[in-house]
Amino acid sequence: MNILIVEDDRRIASFLSRGLAAEGYQVTVAEDGRDGLEHIRQGGFDLVILDRMLPYVNGLEVCRIVREERRPVLILMLTAKDGIQDKVEGLKGGADDYLTKPFAFDELLARLVALKRRRSSQEDPSVLVVGALSLDPASRRVVCEGRDVSLTVREFELLRYLMANAGKVVSRQRLLNSVWEYGFDPGTKIVDVYIRYLRKKLSDEGASIIQTVRGVGYMIPAG
């Protein structure tokens, strides 16, 4: 896995770079958001470890730009902010995972393994079609009622999981385990938040495509 570290604290960047290199990862370091964004645009990276507080362009804005440009890279956001709203903002901006400082290096490695496993599962090229909704994992294209829908990585994976289980009720806990995979309190409302995002982006069809089963979870009806 080729990793880009975007971190302005040279001590942390050096620590991460040396530790990850020792684990066999290919590592590149950028010291500000502007430089990090340029590296991402040049391509070749599987994952970005992105600090939130950066010079020139902050990490949240870098994340949003990367998702708007549909760059196929996983993002692990690092930040000293540990509030629920801060996490929601980071994930809404397109981060795949969120780790607060200070952190244990072993925890970072565990999250990288989980993200790598998710990337491997995304390589299934089968196009999912449910009614007027289609999702192509290879091109990461979503079409609803003939209209292209732009989704963040997390929104895409949530929709993909629901479509892959069309006709079945999927619990919030199962969605947390399968889509977020690691480090989220099951008591949080993150699933409900992302369901709202999806419904809004799917526009008028959103409420009928993604149905709420009270007290259980969500489902997309088959056919």
Side-chain angles (χ1 to χ4, degrees):
M1 180 179 279
N2 199 345
I3 297 176
L4 173 65
I5 299 169
V6 188
E7 170 64 70
D8 63 322
D9 186 321
R10 293 185 177 182
R11 181 182 58 84
I12 294 176
S14 177
F15 163 72
L16 288 174
S17 180
R18 288 184 286 105
L20 292 172
E23 293 292 327
Y25 293 102
Q26 299 297 314
V27 182
T28 302
V29 177
E31 294 186 352
D32 60 66
R34 186 171 57 196
D35 189 30
L37 188 55
E38 286 304 311
H39 275 79
I40 295 169
R41 284 171 169 165
Q42 290 169 14
F45 296 101
D46 302 297
L47 182 140
V48 179
I49 297 176
L50 180 66
D51 186 32
R52 179 162 175 163
M53 305 301 292
L54 292 166
Y56 304 118
V57 183
N58 68 55
L60 192 57
E61 186 62 20
V62 170
C63 194
R64 286 172 177 161
I65 292 171
V66 168
R67 295 312 177 210
E68 286 174 1
E69 296 179 356
R70 298 190 179 187
R71 305 285 173 179
V73 64
L74 296 166
I75 296 177
L76 171 62
M77 186 170 284
L78 299 179
T79 180
K81 296 185 175 183
D82 60 357
I84 293 298
Q85 187 56 40
D86 296 312
K87 293 181 180 180
V88 169
E89 287 179 358
L91 295 169
K92 182 179 178 182
D96 295 285
D97 205 350
Y98 195 104
L99 186 60
T100 56
K101 300 175 181 178
F103 56 86
F105 187 69
D106 284 346
E107 181 181 4
L108 174 72
L109 290 177
R111 293 188 182 226
L112 294 183
V113 169
L115 289 171
K116 184 177 180 180
R117 183 169 64 246
R118 184 182 306 150
R119 167 57 60 85
S120 297
S121 70
Q122 290 171 358
E123 293 175 355
D124 180 1
S126 301
V127 176
L128 298 174
V129 179
V130 181
L133 182 65
S134 68
L135 180 150
D136 186 345
S139 65
R140 304 194 69 79
R141 185 187 183 196
V142 174
V143 178
C144 181
E145 295 287 338
R147 174 178 59 88
D148 281 299
V149 181
S150 178
L151 301 179
T152 66
V153 171
R154 190 73 68 176
E155 291 165 351
F156 183 92
E157 291 306 316
L158 177 57
L159 181 60
R160 177 181 178 176
Y161 194 83
L162 288 169
M163 290 180 68
N165 290 277
K168 303 175 184 177
V169 180
V170 184
S171 69
R172 290 174 176 83
Q173 184 59 55
R174 186 176 171 191
L175 288 170
L176 276 172
N177 292 341
S178 301
V179 178
W180 278 266
E181 289 190 353
Y182 188 92
F184 284 87
D185 181 351
T188 68
K189 300 293 185 180
I190 195 70
V191 172
D192 305 280
V193 169
Y194 270 80
I195 290 292
R196 288 200 299 270
Y197 294 158
L198 274 177
R199 283 174 169 164
K200 183 176 180 180
K201 289 190 175 183
L202 294 173
S203 193
D204 294 338
E205 294 295 319
S208 60
I209 291 175
I210 305 175
Q211 297 181 358
T212 300
V213 181
R214 293 189 179 278
V216 183
Y218 298 97
M219 71 173 292
I220 291 181

